[in-house]
Amino acid sequence: MQDTDWMTIKRLVDWLDEETQGSPMEARLLRVLKITEEAGEVAEAVHGVMRSNPRKGESHTWEDVQNELVDVILTAMVALVTVNPDAARIFAERVEHVAQRSLTA
């Protein structure tokens, strides 16, 4: 796997900061809430793949699901950088914590 490109995420956050109206606290809140919106799009895509709505039939593909999952990840990364600029360190520490907890027997 390649290393996460946190510099690109920071550039996206900077762009959003320039384009966002409202206070920094509002931007922080909305970026965190955006994760839920994107997760809903993953659910919609899975429903589309599984044909859970007979009226729509097969409206999505697994490629749609994977693209929506990437959108969730990117949105969460943007939110994390917005909450704490030291996001790369926080992320790495949390991954290590989860790995230690889960992978050591």
Side-chain angles (χ1 to χ4, degrees):
M1 288 187 159
Q2 293 180 328
D3 289 334
T4 303
D5 190 350
W6 287 100
M7 291 303 298
T8 300
I9 300 301
K10 176 66 172 113
R11 287 178 42 223
L12 289 168
V13 169
D14 291 344
W15 170 74
L16 284 168
D17 287 346
E18 291 171 11
E19 298 295 324
T20 300
Q21 307 227 341
S23 72
M25 186 57 75
E26 290 170 328
R28 177 186 285 195
L29 175 61
L30 292 173
R31 290 177 195 169
V32 171
L33 290 176
K34 181 76 173 166
I35 298 166
T36 303
E37 178 187 335
E38 295 295 339
E41 292 177 14
V42 172
E44 179 182 10
V46 169
H47 280 280
V49 168
M50 304 301 293
R51 301 178 183 178
S52 67
N53 183 338
R55 184 177 55 80
K56 292 184 179 180
E58 187 175 349
S59 59
H60 290 78
T61 65
W62 284 109
E63 185 176 347
D64 295 325
V65 173
Q66 75 186 22
N67 289 337
E68 296 299 344
L69 286 168
V70 171
D71 288 351
V72 171
I73 294 165
L74 286 171
T75 301
M77 292 172 74
V78 165
L80 183 57
V81 170
T82 300
V83 169
N84 188 323
D86 198 13
R89 179 189 58 79
I90 293 165
F91 182 81
E93 287 175 358
R94 188 63 184 169
V95 168
E96 182 61 28
H97 171 79
V98 171
Q100 288 291 327
R101 179 184 68 202
S102 302
L103 301 177
T104 55

